[in-house]
Amino acid sequence: MCPDARRAAYVLPLQPEDGYRHLLDAMPVMLWTANAAGSWEHVNRAWAEYTGVVGGTRGFGFEEALHPDDEARTLAVWKSAVERAQNYEIEYRLRRLDGTYRWFLVRGVRVADDAGRNVAWVGTCTDIEDQKRAEEATARAREAAVRALGLALEARDRETKGHTDRVTAWSARLGEALGLDRPALEALRLGAYLHDMGKLKVSDTVLLKPGPLDAAEWEAMRAHPQEGERFAAALGFIPAPALDLIRAHHERWDGSGYPHGLGHREIPLLARIFAVVDVYDALTSERPYKRAWTPGEALEELRTQAGRQFDPEVVAAFLRLLEGEGT
């Protein structure tokens, strides 16, 4: 079949005698249909004119128009919807003919005849670029405010300068290496910035004490994760996974941590990720009571504590990340 013929077969044709198809093709929103296996079979003119992708392409038939960074996630969601016979909804970026990308909300509905046969999919692609830009601007403003709060907490605790930014950056990179999606990465960053927010409830006498803490002082210090969760929740926009990180970042893989003595996968994943990064930065930073460990010494300690203090899979991923950068 020649390219023009293939395009005509794939794009819903404009046939005045076919009122239904005429209506579909005239719709300003992008429309598509797929078969029971998930392969796209038809698109309307709005899709064709925007993307230039019509028939004869790889995979399910829409991959050529996807932003490369969105492809793996999009395919995973689409395959799951097809396999489970569930309706489909996702946001991803589509390339238009000039090579630029815009965000779209893509929805698909599974349909069948009364006997449950002739299964197919029908769907829409709605431009949400302006909405996404507004959301991203809001997210950046919130993160900037949270970062400022984290830096203030760092200054009060007399942490080594840059600790907050370093642990947040390393946490995000480790989260990416572990395959976290965008919402999880955002929650990881917010939780990292605010991980010690609960120390606001700890008096300077205890927080800045140069010597060992007594039992009462240690009890006050051990309460800071739960207090931090409570303070962060009061901000009203911190997502639940970030609150979990704040509450659980002192839990240990072997169950000997605090505040709840959680162990193994009872500990939220974001807290497991952050704990490794937080300890690595603490070890490699100079403090009044210790010298800065070399990266090699710190990595050896992480290996030793894998399966004790830390999730061994997270430690392994962090080691690979550092080794890839020659650390």
Side-chain angles (χ1 to χ4, degrees):
M1 183 182 292
C2 69
D4 288 345
R6 184 170 62 242
R7 178 188 180 98
Y10 193 70
V11 179
L12 291 174
L14 185 60
Q15 300 176 11
E17 72 277 11
D18 184 345
Y20 180 64
R21 288 202 169 187
H22 181 98
L23 176 63
L24 292 180
D25 213 37
M27 291 286 286
V29 68
M30 299 181 193
L31 303 173
W32 53 270
T33 68
N35 62 25
S39 295
W40 283 28
E41 293 190 327
H42 298 288
V43 295
N44 72 339
R45 199 169 304 279
W47 166 278
E49 291 178 349
Y50 181 90
T51 68
V53 176
V54 288
T57 64
R58 62 187 173 88
F60 290 107
F62 58 85
E63 290 92 328
E64 292 295 336
L66 286 175
H67 192 289
D69 292 346
D70 298 337
E71 183 169 339
R73 173 178 59 87
T74 300
L75 290 178
V77 174
W78 178 234
K79 289 175 182 177
S80 175
V82 172
E83 291 169 0
R84 299 180 181 183
Q86 295 176 337
N87 290 344
Y88 168 71
E89 182 173 313
I90 191 171
E91 295 176 0
Y92 56 68
R93 287 163 288 184
L94 287 173
R95 186 189 66 241
R96 58 183 174 186
L97 287 173
D98 64 5
T100 60
Y101 289 87
R102 292 179 68 86
W103 281 98
F104 283 80
L105 171 62
V106 183
R107 291 190 173 106
V109 178
R110 183 178 179 273
V111 295
D113 60 23
D114 292 340
R117 297 187 297 269
N118 300 316
V119 174
W121 294 81
V122 295
T124 62
C125 304
T126 305
D127 190 322
I128 58 169
E129 178 70 17
D130 292 342
Q131 174 186 328
K132 290 295 289 188
R133 286 180 180 272
E135 290 174 355
E136 289 169 359
T138 299
R140 287 194 297 270
R142 286 177 173 176
E143 185 162 330
V146 167
R147 176 177 179 267
L149 182 54
L151 294 177
L153 294 169
E154 174 186 299
R156 177 177 180 253
D157 196 15
R158 297 181 185 174
E159 292 272 14
T160 301
K161 184 177 181 180
H163 169 76
T164 299
D165 283 337
R166 286 195 303 272
V167 295
T168 301
W170 275 115
S171 294
R173 293 170 68 184
L174 181 53
E176 289 175 354
L178 289 167
L180 297 188
D181 60 18
R182 289 166 63 95
L185 288 171
E186 180 182 356
L188 181 56
R189 289 194 301 271
L190 294 177
Y193 280 130
L194 298 178
H195 67 280
D196 274 342
M197 192 175 187
K199 288 183 179 178
L200 288 170
K201 190 73 178 292
V202 180
S203 69
D204 286 348
T205 303
V206 174
L207 188 64
L208 306 179
K209 185 176 180 179
L213 301 180
D214 62 30
E217 293 167 338
W218 182 238
E219 191 64 26
M221 184 66 78
R222 285 166 63 96
H224 86 265
Q226 289 171 288
E227 291 297 331
E229 178 190 23
R230 184 170 67 86
F231 289 154
L235 293 174
F237 61 84
I238 303 299
L243 299 177
D244 291 340
L245 184 161
I246 295 167
R247 183 187 66 253
H249 71 280
H250 283 295
E251 301 287 1
R252 295 172 57 102
W253 186 253
D254 62 9
S256 64
Y258 63 90
H260 297 303
L262 303 179
H264 292 232
R265 298 187 185 280
E266 292 178 328
I267 305 170
L269 175 59
L270 300 192
R272 285 182 268 143
I273 292 171
F274 178 77
V276 171
V277 171
D278 190 35
V279 169
Y280 176 78
D281 189 75
L283 292 175
T284 55
S285 299
E286 183 178 357
R287 300 290 170 84
Y289 50 85
K290 76 168 191 69
R291 67 172 178 84
W293 291 25
T294 67
E297 291 172 330
L299 293 180
E300 186 57 36
E301 178 65 11
L302 294 184
R303 292 188 185 96
T304 299
Q305 294 300 328
R308 299 177 183 175
Q309 183 173 355
F310 306 120
D311 179 340
E313 293 180 7
V314 174
V315 170
F318 189 55
L319 294 176
R320 289 193 299 269
L321 183 61
L322 292 178
E323 289 165 0
E325 300 190 353
T327 301

